[in-house]
Amino acid sequence: MKIDYLQLEVAQGGCRPDKVVDVLRLFGEKVIPHFKQGTGAGVLAA
Amino acid sequence: MQVSDRFNKGIKMKFGICYNVDYQAEVHGSPADYYESILDQCVLLEELGFDSAWFSEHHSGPYSFGNPALMIATAATRTRRLKLGTGVSLLPLHHPIVLSEEYAMLDQLTGGRLEYGVGRGYLLHEYPWLNIPLDESAPRYREALDFIIQAWTTKGKMSFEGEFFKVDGYKPFPNVVQQPMPRIFASAVSAESFAYAASKNLDIGVAIFVPGMNELLPGYIAEYESALADHGFARSDRQVMGITQMYCAEDPEEALAEGCRYAENYFKFFGTTMIESGGPNPVAEYMMQVKASGLNDLNQTLFGTPEELSTRSSGCAGI
């Protein structure tokens, strides 16, 4: 199976906007860089 | 080592955030506060390296957006790189002249950043409210899609002779920036809808949290890929987009508990709204009682630590 793109839903179900921001920030800083070298916000050191 | 370096070997995955929110005044404040917080998040998404933000369409009170194009237009003024999409635009509910013009304008206004998700929706009451016969949903969807593709790829005047829409000498304006046209992500939940998208050389948007999709999806994707090849289209040009709930936290117990809490709240809302809209049905009843932790075990939702979600996103990419 090959999914190329993930469209993620965080903000539903009564999640407060400040919580949504925390989740987006963590995902953006620590997950995305593994899939986009050089384009994310802070590539993790292996 | 925070995450195995095998994830830094060129694995590609795009990430977008979808806003299909069940607005709650006690959580989101005024409608103006609510829209502003989402637009602020779009700026953050761009800074963090996300690829896109998506805005849904529904006509069901405070759920979702009555017009996702307005969110795209506003988000476009605050961002420069982020792709902006519909998740989804409900084609059968509108005349395709209006849709093709509106979204071509957005491709211009965003500088070629439009990604157009299309579908038929699942809230059945939207059809009679907008005076569209429900039994015309599928043929209107397909005809509107044909019309929009023709309008976006026509230079000069066009004619269209369909069951629902007829024009002669219509001149589409403006042209789309992206050539030959913006990506169109067709909602797909069945083998038939995957095959149809392949026949039109369209990208796919599939909700992976719906019942049984973990077992069905590999077969659907295989059929989609086979159908693309049969029609002479290249899989490498196309994108399959999985749609699901995500919650990320450093503490694994918090990630699972909070992810399940918000997802189950949403699933109950989703199921209740479906039943209110069209009466009882198996999917709605499933959504109202499903345990999100079970979906997470099956990789149909993504709740976990950054390390866990890096691994599991790689799994979605077939790695």
Side-chain angles (χ1 to χ4, degrees):
Chain A
M1 184 172 77
K2 175 71 165 64
I3 288 176
D4 311 281
Y5 208 142
L6 283 169
Q7 187 188 109
L8 303 169
E9 301 183 334
V10 182
Q12 281 88 332
C15 191
R16 294 169 50 90
D18 58 334
K19 271 279 191 194
V20 174
V21 166
D22 289 345
V23 170
L24 297 178
R25 196 175 289 284
L26 189 60
F27 191 91
E29 291 177 348
K30 295 200 171 181
V31 178
I32 288 179
H34 294 287
F35 298 89
K36 301 178 189 300
Q37 293 180 58
T39 61
V43 175
L44 289 180
Chain B
M1 189 167 73
Q2 295 181 63
V3 178
S4 168
D5 61 1
R6 71 191 173 90
F7 299 121
N8 276 332
K9 291 183 176 172
I11 298 168
K12 300 294 185 192
M13 175 70 81
K14 289 174 174 283
F15 295 97
I17 294 294
C18 179
Y19 293 96
N20 189 29
V21 183
D22 44 324
Y23 164 83
Q24 301 170 29
E26 64 276 19
V27 172
H28 300 105
S30 71
D33 293 337
Y34 163 60
Y35 298 136
E36 190 64 26
S37 71
I38 290 172
L39 294 165
D40 284 346
Q41 288 171 31
C42 289
V43 175
L44 180 66
L45 294 178
E46 181 161 280
E47 292 171 1
L48 290 169
F50 283 87
D51 295 282
S52 55
W54 303 75
F55 304 96
S56 302
E57 175 186 350
H58 282 295
H59 306 279
S60 187
Y63 177 39
S64 195
F65 303 103
N67 188 342
L70 295 178
M71 293 301 290
I72 292 174
T74 312
T77 66
R78 304 189 188 191
T79 54
R80 288 291 173 269
R81 176 193 58 79
L82 196 69
K83 292 266 189 174
L84 298 164
T86 50
V88 295
S89 174
L90 301 177
L91 299 191
L93 300 183
H94 307 283
H95 196 292
I97 282 184
V98 175
L99 292 175
S100 61
E101 291 176 350
E102 192 166 80
Y103 285 96
M105 284 180 68
L106 282 175
D107 202 40
Q108 289 284 345
L109 290 168
T110 60
R113 291 188 283 148
L114 175 69
E115 304 215 285
Y116 195 45
V118 297
R120 296 161 51 198
Y122 70 96
L123 296 179
L124 305 185
H125 62 216
E126 294 174 330
Y127 281 79
W129 285 358
L130 289 161
N131 203 27
I132 304 294
L134 185 58
D135 61 2
E136 294 178 0
S137 172
R140 280 180 178 268
Y141 169 79
R142 294 182 177 197
E143 198 171 305
L145 194 48
D146 285 343
F147 187 107
I148 292 167
I149 291 170
Q150 187 176 334
W152 284 356
T153 54
T154 293
K155 298 195 172 22
K157 294 179 180 177
M158 67 175 261
S159 296
F160 187 95
E161 181 79 19
E163 180 183 356
F164 306 102
F165 310 112
K166 297 176 177 60
V167 297
D168 185 25
Y170 168 64
K171 187 174 190 321
F173 182 86
N175 62 304
V176 289
V177 172
Q178 299 176 85
Q179 292 297 314
M181 64 180 181
R183 285 186 178 277
I184 297 178
F185 289 82
S187 281
V189 292
S190 64
E192 182 187 18
S193 49
F194 273 78
Y196 178 74
S199 74
K200 299 286 183 182
N201 198 22
L202 303 178
D203 302 296
I204 290 283
V206 52
I208 61 179
F209 59 88
V210 300
M213 192 55 78
N214 58 313
E215 294 180 355
L216 295 168
L217 190 56
Y220 287 168
I221 292 178
E223 289 179 31
Y224 172 69
E225 293 175 342
S226 175
L228 282 172
D230 290 345
H231 289 282
F233 301 133
R235 171 65 175 91
S236 57
D237 292 339
R238 300 275 57 85
Q239 295 178 354
V240 175
M241 179 165 63
I243 303 157
T244 194
Q245 285 69 40
M246 182 274 283
Y247 198 94
C248 185
E250 293 283 13
D251 178 63
E253 291 181 3
E254 178 193 344
L256 185 61
E258 293 291 87
C260 288
R261 174 184 161 203
Y262 296 122
E264 288 176 10
N265 285 347
Y266 179 64
F267 292 157
K268 287 188 177 74
F269 167 83
F270 184 94
T272 303
T273 308
M274 273 184 104
I275 290 169
E276 287 174 354
S277 169
N281 70 73
V283 173
E285 286 162 14
Y286 170 92
M287 297 310 294
M288 293 191 57
Q289 54 77 40
V290 69
K291 295 298 179 196
S293 59
L295 292 178
N296 206 48
D297 290 341
L298 296 171
N299 219 21
Q300 288 183 264
T301 58
L302 291 169
F303 309 141
T305 65
E307 290 77 10
E308 290 168 343
L309 297 190
S310 295
T311 305
R312 293 173 57 198
S313 298
S314 298
C316 291
I319 307 302

